[in-house]
């Protein structure tokens, strides 16, 4: 049992193999899987499980321990982070084809932000146990997935670093 199974109002839909067609339909939006051929996608889907969550469901909660990532198949979520005063701040939204929770999948650290369903959402879930099984049982797919995750996280780090530099420059300009 993974941590997603403990979230209230989440409906288990089964493994992701029946959803491979939908994944292929939105493949252009799924940067993480753009280098996977159809057989590799189907192989990966055998290790994923799908869920449906209603409007308002908090499918990832800031500060919770995490052992899974989500691939949004349908619907959209709002990404919310508490500020220094503990007040929720909207960081953005994510829709079909976006992945969420990769950092906690890899390092098991607490969630950085919350994700709240803006409508009924369907997600494919990859948990850490399944990731380990992929690496052992399907090493070609596992290594490819790890490389894609590494590139995705690296790109996000570069974007955040650029934003930090912009903020630092703006601060310097105000001080002068």
């Amino acid at each position: 049992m993974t941590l997603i199974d403990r979230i209230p109002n989440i409906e288990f839909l089964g493994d992701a193999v029946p959803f491979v067609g939908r994944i292929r339909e939105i493949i252009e939006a799924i940067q993480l899987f753009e280098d996977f051929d159809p057989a590799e996608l189907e192989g990966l889907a055998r290790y994923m499980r799908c869920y449906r969550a209603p409007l308002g469901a908090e499918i990832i909660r800031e500060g919770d321990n995490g052992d899974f990532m989500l691939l949004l198949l349908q619907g959209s979520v709002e990404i919310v982070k508490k500020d220094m005063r503990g007040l929720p701040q909207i960081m953005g939204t994510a829709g079909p084809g976006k992945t969420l929770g990769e950092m906690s999948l890899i390092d098991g650290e607490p969630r950085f932000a919350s994700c709240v369903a803006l409508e009924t959402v369907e997600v494919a879930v990859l948990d850490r146990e399944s990731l380990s099984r992929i690496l052992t049982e399907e090493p070609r797919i596992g290594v490819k997935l790890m490389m894609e995750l590494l590139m995705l996280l690296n790109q996000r780090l570069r974007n955040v670093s650029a934003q930090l530099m912009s903020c630092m420059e703006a601060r310097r300009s105000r001080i002068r």
Side-chain angles (χ1 to χ4, degrees):
M1 176 184 260
T2 187
L3 296 174
I4 196 165
D5 293 304
R6 298 183 189 147
I7 299 172
N9 302 319
I10 300 287
E11 176 187 357
F12 178 60
L13 300 176
D15 71 28
V17 173
F19 294 85
V20 169
R22 188 175 307 163
I23 292 170
R24 283 189 198 134
E25 287 172 13
I26 60 173
I27 198 74
E28 298 82 32
I30 306 175
Q31 183 178 13
L32 181 66
F33 299 122
E34 66 188 0
D35 293 330
F36 282 65
D37 66 37
E40 291 169 329
L41 276 176
E42 192 165 329
L44 178 61
R46 286 193 296 271
Y47 293 90
M48 300 176 86
R49 299 178 342 172
C50 290
Y51 295 84
R52 180 179 297 125
L55 165 72
E58 191 173 30
I59 54 178
I60 291 179
R61 180 174 292 136
E62 180 179 349
D64 281 1
N65 290 328
D67 71 345
F68 63 89
M69 73 170 218
L70 304 173
L71 167 61
L72 286 167
L73 299 175
Q74 182 176 320
S76 59
V77 300
E78 190 170 65
I79 303 163
V80 180
K81 172 85 177 137
K82 291 181 182 168
D83 66 15
M84 300 300 280
R85 299 166 298 186
L87 300 173
Q89 300 296 315
I90 298 170
M91 295 180 64
T93 59
K98 296 299 180 185
T99 56
L100 304 161
E102 304 90 351
M103 291 189 309
S104 291
L105 170 70
I106 300 297
D107 65 15
E109 292 293 316
R111 299 291 187 179
F112 177 75
S114 296
C115 296
V116 180
L118 292 172
E119 57 192 306
T120 299
V121 296
E122 289 182 357
V123 297
V125 174
L126 180 67
D127 62 28
R128 190 174 302 113
E129 180 183 325
S130 295
L131 177 59
S132 294
R133 285 185 27 240
I134 291 170
L135 289 166
T136 302
E137 298 169 8
E138 303 272 355
R140 182 169 179 257
I141 294 172
V143 167
K144 197 170 197 175
L145 176 61
M146 292 301 290
M147 287 301 297
E148 293 294 329
L149 285 170
L150 179 62
M151 289 189 302
L152 175 68
L153 293 171
N154 194 45
Q155 185 60 48
R156 288 183 183 169
L157 178 59
R158 287 180 186 277
N159 290 341
V160 168
S161 295
Q163 291 172 358
L164 175 61
M165 292 306 298
S166 293
C167 289
M168 290 172 66
E169 278 299 314
R171 183 174 180 212
R172 280 191 204 120
S173 295
R174 287 193 309 265
I175 293 173
R176 294 180 191 164

